[in-house]
Amino acid sequence: LQTDTDVVVLTTGVLVLITMLPMIPQSGKQYLHDFFGIFGRLSAWCLQNTGHVAEIYLVHLHASVYALFHRLYGMYPCNFVSFLRSHYSMKENLETFEEVVKPMMEHVRIHPELVTGSKDHELDPRR
């Protein structure tokens, strides 16, 4: 998912990741920044590779990235919002934020952990 360019492989891989994350919440936390990086890469890829891939594949990839957004926001809201803030504050990522990520954010409510939790509490094994 970090390097592949085959949209079918990417879509399938993201769907597998989405399925596996709730089963390995503590084991997966060491790879959290990798998961966030995958989200960032595929969000940009959805926007930039429109001419090289059939439209139907892009629709499926976009849907799977949207599902990944929901999974990461649901499980790790403080860490994910921190990633979004730092990654999309860079000038080169602003268009991706405006076109892909911001519309995703408009369809979620504020997560209670953003108010009552912290990045460290979120990764605590007792949680």
Side-chain angles (χ1 to χ4, degrees), residues 75-95:
M75 290 181 68
Y76 308 103
C78 297
N79 284 282
F80 190 51
V81 168
S82 177
F83 163 77
L84 294 174
R85 187 177 291 121
S86 66
H87 185 74
Y88 293 107
S89 66
M90 293 183 271
K91 185 178 177 181
E92 64 269 13
N93 297 328
L94 193 56
E95 182 182 10

Side-chain angles (χ1 to χ4, degrees), residues 1 3 9 11 14 20-21 34 38 40 42 47 49 51 58 70 75 79-80 86 91 93 97 107 112 114 116 121 124:
L1 290 173
T3 59
V9 171
T11 303
V14 170
M20 296 298 290
L21 271 173
D34 293 332
I38 289 166
L42 295 181
L47 184 66
N49 285 306
L58 283 178
H70 275 278
M75 290 181 68
N79 284 282
F80 190 51
S86 66
K91 185 178 177 181
N93 297 328
F97 177 76
H107 295 283
L114 293 173
T116 61
H121 171 72
D124 188 347

Side-chain angles (χ1 to χ4, degrees), residues 9-87:
V9 171
L10 292 171
T11 303
T12 305
V14 170
L15 294 174
V16 169
L17 178 61
I18 292 165
T19 304
M20 296 298 290
L21 271 173
M23 296 175 198
I24 55 164
Q26 288 303 313
S27 303
K29 73 181 183 183
Q30 65 190 8
Y31 301 108
L32 203 53
H33 293 289
D34 293 332
F35 300 153
F36 295 161
I38 289 166
F39 173 81
R41 175 181 183 258
L42 295 181
S43 295
W45 206 84
C46 283
L47 184 66
Q48 296 168 355
N49 285 306
T50 55
H52 302 107
V53 178
E55 184 70 25
I56 189 69
Y57 292 139
L58 283 178
V59 170
H60 285 90
L61 179 63
H62 186 73
S64 65
V65 171
Y66 186 58
L68 179 61
F69 170 84
H70 275 278
R71 179 70 75 208
L72 293 172
Y73 183 71
M75 290 181 68
Y76 308 103
C78 297
N79 284 282
F80 190 51
V81 168
S82 177
F83 163 77
L84 294 174
R85 187 177 291 121
S86 66
H87 185 74

